[in-house]
Amino acid sequence: MVARKMRSVSWIGVGLLLLVSACSSDSETPEEAKANPKEQVQLEQAEAPRQFKVKSTPVWDSWKTSEGKVMAHGAAEIKNTGKKPVRFDSVQLRFQDKDGRLLAKEEVLAVVPKVIHPGESAYVGSTVPMEAAQKPEELREVTLHTEYHPAYKEPAELQVKELQRDERDDRQPVVRGKVANPDRETVQDVFVVTALKDKEGQLVAVIGDYLNRDIRPGDRIGFTAQDDQLPAEVTDQATQVEAHAYPLFVGEQAKK
């Protein structure tokens, strides 16, 4: 039995502490700057949250397998609502009951795209056993715990093409496509994340693939995104797909 899907919106943000410069303006002398360090720090900290800010929209489902195991799938769209590009290293999904008790947690390393520009989104998702739960209905909320940082370097540009959504005999969703490398450098070890969305564009689930291969400049390789633990009942409403790819290694790193 699949528990009723629920949605929530949570905000995650961290402030970036900026170094206090020797001069606060072209007209301010070094002596004046030293005399007002507290005021400068307050102005810089107030500006930081506006520049670096993200909004997460989690979704989740839970069910019990034929073997009696209680499972859950949590996913989220993370949108950069700030003014600067941000970089993610990982996101922790926390599955909780109505009292906030932790039923399961999962550290998701495949945040794709890893660097999000203002107005863009990344996707994370995972299917986990909820060993602390007796029944699927105990899951009431999925929250995201993460840290993100300013992105000082542009990521490798990978393109996902020829997306096609299929179904296996058990109606389990499968998304196939190709990852192309239009960049000038070879990339290696590529994460592919596919967002399954309903007809209104709302996120339903996230599935992915890992390509343990090199993709040379101008080349493309195929991928197959799926989640063997995710039942078809959870993804029946998904009619749209959106996919992104991100490499772990680029250029000289890929040759090591």
Side-chain angles (χ1 to χ4, degrees):
M1 179 180 67
V2 178
R4 181 171 62 90
K5 170 164 285 186
M6 303 174 64
R7 289 187 170 89
S8 70
V9 177
S10 64
W11 289 82
I12 49 178
V14 292
L16 175 68
L17 298 180
L18 305 178
L19 293 176
V20 179
S21 62
C23 300
S24 61
S25 69
D26 292 338
S27 61
E28 189 176 40
T29 67
E31 289 74 17
E32 290 172 334
K34 292 178 181 178
N36 299 296
K38 184 176 181 181
E39 181 179 352
Q40 293 178 61
V41 171
Q42 289 174 341
L43 290 174
E44 289 165 348
Q45 290 179 343
E47 180 65 18
R50 291 197 295 270
Q51 292 181 336
F52 302 98
K53 199 170 188 178
V54 298
K55 174 185 177 183
S56 66
T57 307
V59 297
W60 58 90
D61 279 286
S62 55
W63 64 93
K64 182 175 284 190
T65 67
S66 57
E67 293 82 16
K69 182 182 295 186
V70 179
M71 303 288 295
H73 179 82
E77 176 178 359
I78 306 174
K79 186 172 184 178
N80 183 352
T81 59
K83 300 179 180 180
K84 300 286 186 179
V86 294
R87 174 187 173 91
F88 288 83
D89 294 322
S90 67
V91 171
Q92 186 183 86
L93 298 174
R94 298 174 65 87
F95 301 76
Q96 300 169 305
D97 66 9
K98 63 182 180 64
D99 298 320
R101 183 172 66 98
L102 190 63
L103 302 175
K105 64 180 179 180
E106 182 74 5
E107 195 81 18
V108 181
L109 299 178
V111 184
V112 179
K114 187 175 287 290
V115 173
I116 317 176
H117 289 87
E120 294 182 346
S121 295
Y123 297 91
V124 295
S126 184
T127 301
V128 299
M130 293 197 301
E131 298 179 356
Q134 300 297 318
K135 52 186 180 180
E137 292 79 10
E138 290 182 46
L139 178 61
R140 294 295 184 88
E141 184 179 25
V142 171
T143 60
L144 275 67
H145 289 241
T146 183
E147 290 186 2
Y148 53 90
H149 316 280
Y152 297 113
K153 184 179 179 181
E154 282 294 318
E157 181 185 358
L158 296 182
Q159 299 173 349
V160 179
K161 301 182 176 182
E162 302 178 30
L163 281 178
Q164 179 180 352
R165 186 188 189 281
D166 297 322
E167 288 183 352
R168 302 188 318 199
D169 293 339
D170 57 2
R171 294 176 30 242
Q172 218 277 340
V174 177
V175 177
R176 294 183 174 87
K178 293 183 179 179
V179 177
N181 180 14
D183 211 338
R184 296 182 179 180
E185 296 185 289
T186 297
V187 299
Q188 185 183 63
D189 294 346
V190 176
F191 284 116
V192 181
V193 166
T194 301
L196 303 178
K197 299 184 176 183
D198 62 21
K199 62 181 180 180
E200 297 177 350
Q202 299 297 316
L203 185 65
V204 174
V206 170
I207 58 178
D209 193 11
Y210 171 64
L211 306 176
N212 185 20
R213 293 178 55 186
D214 294 350
I215 309 180
R216 296 179 180 179
D219 286 351
R220 63 178 65 185
I221 61 174
F223 71 87
T224 301
Q226 59 185 332
D227 185 341
D228 293 333
Q229 301 182 91
L230 193 61
E233 290 81 1
V234 173
T235 58
D236 275 345
Q237 57 188 306
T239 59
Q240 304 180 45
V241 295
E242 178 183 338
H244 301 272
Y246 195 92
L248 288 180
F249 305 106
V250 180
E252 291 299 322
Q253 292 179 327
K255 299 178 183 179
K256 295 179 181 181

